Amino acid sequence: MSEKKDIKRYTVTSALPYANGPKHIGHLAGAYIPADVYVRFLRLLQKNVVFVCGSDEHGTAIPNQALKEGTTSQAIIDKYHAMIRECFQKLGISFDIYHRTSEKIHHETSQEFFLNLYNKGLLTETTSEQYFDVQANVFLADRYIIGTCPRCGNPNAYGDQCERCGSTLSPSELINPRSTLSGNAPVLKATKHWYLPLQDYEPWLREWILNSHKDDWKTNVYGQCKSWIDTGLQPRAMTRDLDWGIKVPLPNAEGKVLYVWFDAPIGYISATRALFKEMSEGKKEYSTPQSDFGKVNEDDWKKYWEDEGTKLVHFVGKDNIVFHCIIFPAMLKAAGHYIFPDNVPANEFMNLEGEKMSTSRGWSIEMHDYIAAFPDKPDILRYALLTNLPETKDSEFTWRDFQSKNNNELVAIFGNFVNRALVLTQKYFDNKVPVRGALRDIDKKVIADVRDFPTKIATAIEGYRFREATALMMDLARTGNKYLAETEPWKLVKPSRNASASEETDIGRVGTILNIALQISANLAVLSEPFLPFSSVKLKDMLSLSDLKWNDTGSVDLLPGGHALGAAHLLFEKIEDPIIEAQIRKLMDTKKESSSPRVSEIKPLKPEITIDDFSKLDIRIGKIVAAEKMEKSNKLLKLTINSGLDTRTILSGIAHHYTAEEMVGKQVTFIANLAPRKMMGMESQGMILSAEDHDGKLKLLAPLGDVEPGSAVN
Ligand SMILES: [Zn+2]
């Protein structure tokens, strides 16, 4: 059932950025620029649309970031909310509201939502044992528990995932789990939570996604949903033990908050609610003229979330697909009176110069850094990202490509075309639009081409193919540029030294050509608005163009003959090599810096122990007599050790740092009385000690001089 319903209005959302740090251009390409193009296009079609977003300000990572920066959670969200909002604004992302999940109206909306499900008996209350850090006095989120991976022996696997072998884990699977907060071993403690039984919604999800949206959802989105549903859905806790977040609105729920992934998507609803409240109070105007209402009422937000005539579209990155396609829709279904997303056109990831973008590793271009380096060039970034969107598979941003998109397309095609049309008109027609005379075939051909562009671009945008839409917009400029190159109006007015009859200047013909070129420019000014909003405004000014809409375009009668034009300026400027080289150098330097040791990476001191505790450890020096690589593991070496007491086998995760050959004959320090452990089907009888350097390389510990195997370390 993917047929188009009678659409009365649109609700468009972009994923709420998590306010624990700056956001990079990969985020921008994933969920913000495509959404903005879509919304600006709808507004040009004079559709009734609200575009909502805001900061996601809950979850465990916020207090954790506060700890890291030595400040409060409130200070963290205030800082990053302001920073991210300002970046979006400077890059032209035209939200109707950029809200915050810390706002009162959001807390109320989320609690109402929760209570509605609770009162209907749709949440199950379950007590389970979860890891608790006694010293820090908190239950530990999966990310805050590390331990040895049962699959590959990585000693620093997280409670939800091992980053070395990629296995999905649960904290109970970790060997020797410890808290990242205190370094202590956590204890299991009973705790009560409220679960949404996702499995109950599986038949409905199958019907709604797998049958109804087989043809209109992107294959990457559909495929991920199918794999989730086919794997089998499990009950999911909608609450957490934490003191930062939205309080669970029940009397017996001290110390419990709503799960951040429960309240964050409700943020779209509360943002819409806040928008209509502000509009009803006259604090904000409707961004589209076609509202349903004469006077805006506070409750009108409901139409955008409850009325079947509303088309709801969520723009997200691929890491958010499951939340927007499975969990949030199941919540909406449970609530009972909401509409469901018509589409979730999620993008894949954008890499940077060949590697995955990551703020923490310093391998990214943060939005605020781009704005600082290129303050007057938001459209260049929009264009470079749009022409390279990871729509069907991961894509890549490079500074060289950015430069080339600017110099070879925006400057050489779009800018060059518009500039020639304007400058020649200024020169020969007193800056007034010349009248069009008799048309030749080449003119008729270009006029026919122009007529098709609005529909072609619209079809691409409506199908969420923004790369194609952007390329088509540039094709219109290319069409104009080619037309001028072929008709060469500048040659027709050039008085030749010995003018013969055939070389006569023909000012009338020049007028016709420039009239057509200016009409194409006017079409470009309107049709480029979703992609290049800042340049579109400049171009409209140069053309003294009135407020035209999408449906006015495709015509070559946008500018009447005699219409006075504004002053011509260059729309785009060439970006020279040194500017780009400086950016590349900066990226390399940041990466180098971030891989050097930082105080925050030094693990906190473990709790004090007694000499008796220490004496329990039997640490000895041994000599490696044989070493080989474990067959099915690229991390483990199988070491045969003369321990002085016996010859034993120890498996050690050092294969990335030492070869089997170089290990033979080495003295090592090892724990001799550690209970044997099985790894990869083989028993390991002890643990070799090593230290990690700032590049993450393991260095073995050994005595400075030769000692006998079996010597105890005291
Ligand atoms: Zn692993």
Side-chain angles (χ1 to χ4, degrees):
M1 277 198 323
S2 55
E3 85 271 11
K4 296 267 178 293
K5 56 190 174 188
D6 179 21
I7 302 166
K8 294 200 189 75
R9 66 191 80 72
Y10 294 77
T11 303
V12 179
T13 74
S14 281
L16 306 189
Y18 198 49
N20 69 331
K23 299 298 144 195
H24 57 61
I25 63 168
H27 296 122
L28 206 51
Y32 305 98
I33 288 184
D36 188 61
V37 171
Y38 186 67
V39 167
R40 285 176 181 272
F41 162 73
L42 291 175
R43 291 190 190 125
L44 274 172
L45 279 176
Q46 295 187 283
K47 298 290 184 190
N48 177 2
V49 50
V50 297
F51 184 17
V52 300
C53 192
S55 294
D56 174 0
E57 306 184 324
H58 297 133
T60 46
I62 301 278
N64 196 50
Q65 185 66 24
L67 211 62
K68 227 183 214 171
E69 296 191 21
T71 181
T72 62
S73 296
Q74 187 64 44
I76 290 293
I77 60 173
D78 287 348
K79 171 176 160 184
Y80 292 113
H81 169 76
M83 174 194 249
I84 297 166
R85 185 177 61 173
E86 187 187 341
C87 289
F88 281 145
Q89 191 217 329
K90 288 187 170 164
L91 293 166
I93 311 296
S94 57
F95 299 124
D96 289 306
I97 184 166
Y98 191 74
H99 203 235
R100 313 179 61 163
T101 62
S102 56
E103 292 283 354
K104 188 162 167 270
I105 194 170
H106 173 70
H107 280 236
E108 287 167 1
T109 307
S110 304
Q111 290 178 329
E112 282 163 20
F113 201 111
F114 181 89
L115 274 181
N116 174 31
L117 302 194
Y118 178 83
N119 290 332
K120 287 202 226 170
L122 296 173
L123 298 175
T124 38
E125 196 179 300
T126 307
T127 299
S128 66
E129 296 213 304
Q130 287 182 13
Y131 277 125
F132 183 80
D133 185 322
V134 179
Q135 194 187 353
N137 196 32
V138 287
F139 279 96
L140 295 165
D142 295 354
R143 270 275 136 172
Y144 296 108
I145 305 167
I146 52 173
T148 302
C149 171
R151 317 261 150 74
C152 75
N154 168 19
N156 293 312
Y158 290 104
D160 55 352
Q161 199 192 23
C162 170
E163 293 196 333
R164 193 181 277 178
C165 70
S167 304
T168 303
L169 301 171
S170 71
S172 59
E173 289 178 88
L174 292 176
I175 301 163
N176 300 328
R178 54 200 190 278
S179 161
T180 60
L181 300 180
S182 66
N184 286 349
V187 298
L188 283 169
K189 190 172 163 181
T191 181
K192 179 174 62 186
H193 284 292
W194 288 269
Y195 288 72
L196 182 65
L198 277 181
Q199 71 280 9
D200 292 356
Y201 300 86
E202 191 189 309
W204 172 72
L205 286 165
R206 269 189 192 283
E207 173 55 33
W208 173 59
I209 301 177
L210 302 187
N211 291 336
S212 305
H213 286 298
K214 199 176 174 65
D215 301 320
D216 65 336
W217 281 17
K218 292 168 68 168
T219 50
N220 58 328
V221 176
Y222 184 88
Q224 224 190 85
C225 293
K226 184 168 175 5
S227 135
W228 262 76
I229 295 171
D230 286 347
T231 308
L233 300 172
Q234 307 289 330
R236 207 171 171 105
M238 293 292 130
T239 54
R240 289 290 186 268
D241 291 290
L242 195 67
D243 59 4
W244 179 252
I246 299 173
K247 302 266 175 276
V248 172
L250 294 174
N252 50 350
E254 198 61 26
K256 301 193 189 280
V257 296
L258 300 179
Y259 174 37
V260 65
W261 269 109
F262 181 84
D263 92 74
I266 296 172
Y268 301 137
I269 300 173
S270 55
T272 314
R273 205 172 165 179
L275 172 66
F276 278 86
K277 189 167 190 302
E278 285 178 25
M279 288 196 296
S280 71
E281 290 164 355
K283 290 180 190 157
K284 216 170 206 160
E285 293 222 340
Y286 223 103
S287 62
T288 45
Q290 302 295 304
S291 78
D292 296 354
F293 329 103
K295 189 184 175 306
V296 177
N297 184 295
E298 196 176 327
D299 283 336
D300 289 341
W301 70 268
K302 289 184 178 165
K303 290 202 171 181
Y304 290 79
W305 284 94
E306 298 178 358
D307 187 284
E308 281 298 325
T310 300
K311 178 168 171 172
L312 171 63
V313 183
H314 295 308
F315 284 86
V316 301
K318 77 169 158 193
D319 49 340
N320 282 342
I321 291 174
V322 62
F323 293 103
H324 287 81
C325 297
I326 308 263
I327 299 173
F328 187 43
M331 288 163 55
L332 295 171
K333 178 76 179 167
H337 52 287
Y338 290 104
I339 53 166
F340 306 110
D342 187 86
N343 214 319
V344 183
N347 278 320
E348 299 288 295
F349 288 146
M350 180 175 262
N351 296 320
L352 173 61
E353 306 272 357
E355 283 181 49
K356 195 170 186 283
M357 246 187 265
S358 154
T359 300
S360 59
R361 285 191 305 115
W363 194 254
S364 65
I365 301 165
E366 309 301 338
M367 295 197 288
H368 67 275
D369 285 335
Y370 175 85
I371 292 164
F374 302 95
D376 55 343
K377 293 181 167 47
D379 279 352
I380 319 297
L381 181 62
R382 290 176 67 109
Y383 185 75
L385 295 178
L386 277 166
T387 50
N388 210 7
L389 285 181
E391 286 177 338
T392 52
K393 54 179 193 314
D394 287 357
S395 68
E396 179 160 332
F397 179 94
T398 68
W399 278 112
R400 289 292 176 197
D401 178 69
F402 169 85
Q403 181 188 28
S404 143
K405 290 277 162 57
N406 179 72
N407 292 0
N408 303 339
E409 297 177 19
L410 291 172
V411 175
I413 301 168
F414 194 126
N416 181 50
F417 163 62
V418 166
N419 190 252
R420 286 206 288 194
L422 284 160
V423 167
L424 290 173
T425 306
Q426 206 170 44
K427 198 163 167 192
Y428 300 113
F429 295 94
D430 194 23
N431 214 27
K432 292 196 177 75
V433 176
V435 187
R436 201 155 67 229
L439 298 180
R440 297 184 184 174
D441 283 350
I442 191 170
D443 310 327
K444 289 176 188 163
K445 165 103 183 32
V446 81
I447 289 171
D449 284 349
V450 169
R451 193 173 300 134
D452 292 339
F453 273 98
T455 310
K456 284 197 281 186
I457 299 173
T459 305
I461 295 177
E462 282 161 353
Y464 309 106
R465 297 187 308 276
F466 299 101
R467 270 172 95 138
E468 182 189 327
T470 312
L472 282 164
M473 182 275 298
M474 186 52 75
D475 273 351
L476 175 58
R478 198 172 270 121
T479 300
N481 211 32
K482 187 163 164 268
Y483 173 70
L484 281 187
E486 285 171 2
T487 51
E488 298 182 304
W490 47 89
K491 282 199 177 163
L492 298 173
V493 285
K494 211 175 266 171
S496 56
R497 228 168 271 161
N498 305 302
S500 69
S502 60
E503 284 171 333
E504 235 172 354
T505 63
D506 183 348
I507 200 71
R509 176 66 193 144
V510 173
T512 298
I513 295 168
L514 289 181
N515 177 293
I516 292 172
L518 291 169
Q519 306 293 352
I520 297 175
S521 303
N523 277 278
L524 262 180
V526 181
L527 296 176
S528 67
E529 204 260 9
F531 313 95
L532 309 167
F534 299 94
S535 310
S536 161
V537 168
K538 281 190 205 160
L539 182 51
K540 282 177 192 159
D541 279 351
M542 292 187 228
L543 295 167
S544 302
L545 200 61
S546 59
D547 193 20
L548 295 176
K549 301 299 175 195
W550 195 272
N551 290 334
D552 298 321
T553 61
S555 148
V556 287
D557 296 309
L558 301 184
L559 299 164
H563 172 80
L565 300 174
H569 306 285
L570 285 181
L571 268 185
F572 306 102
E573 290 165 347
K574 217 173 154 196
I575 299 175
E576 302 295 344
D577 286 343
I579 305 272
I580 292 300
E581 281 152 14
Q583 287 303 323
I584 296 173
R585 217 166 29 244
K586 187 179 163 214
L587 191 57
M588 300 297 171
D589 289 349
T590 326
K591 194 183 182 189
K592 241 180 267 161
E593 253 170 51
S594 70
S595 60
S596 50
R598 282 179 300 182
V599 177
S600 63
E601 281 171 6
I602 304 291
K603 295 205 177 103
L605 190 67
K606 293 181 186 176
E608 193 176 275
I609 59 167
T610 63
I611 186 79
D612 290 342
D613 292 329
F614 174 73
S615 65
K616 285 180 190 163
L617 287 172
D618 193 336
I619 308 173
R620 295 183 188 239
I621 303 301
K623 189 163 187 176
I624 295 177
V625 293
E628 60 180 289
K629 219 165 163 288
M630 288 282 283
E631 229 174 68
K632 280 176 204 138
S633 164
N634 45 9
K635 319 283 194 285
L636 288 177
L637 286 185
K638 179 187 166 196
L639 306 171
T640 308
I641 294 181
N642 173 5
S643 72
L645 312 158
D646 52 19
T647 302
R648 60 171 75 196
T649 302
I650 295 181
L651 304 180
S652 185
I654 53 170
H656 280 319
H657 313 283
Y658 293 94
T659 64
E661 294 71 41
E662 65 182 320
M663 289 301 291
V664 179
K666 277 212 162 53
Q667 291 193 104
V668 289
T669 312
F670 71 104
I671 301 181
N673 63 339
L674 190 68
R677 285 188 305 155
K678 270 218 157 157
M679 286 192 268
M680 316 279 304
M682 186 170 282
E683 197 169 79
S684 178
Q685 302 156 309
M687 183 191 272
I688 307 268
L689 300 184
S690 63
E692 195 174 304
D693 75 4
H694 59 80
D695 288 329
K697 280 259 173 226
L698 294 182
K699 299 282 162 72
L700 292 170
L701 299 187
L704 287 173
D706 258 358
V707 296
E708 281 300 302
S711 298
V713 176
N714 294 307

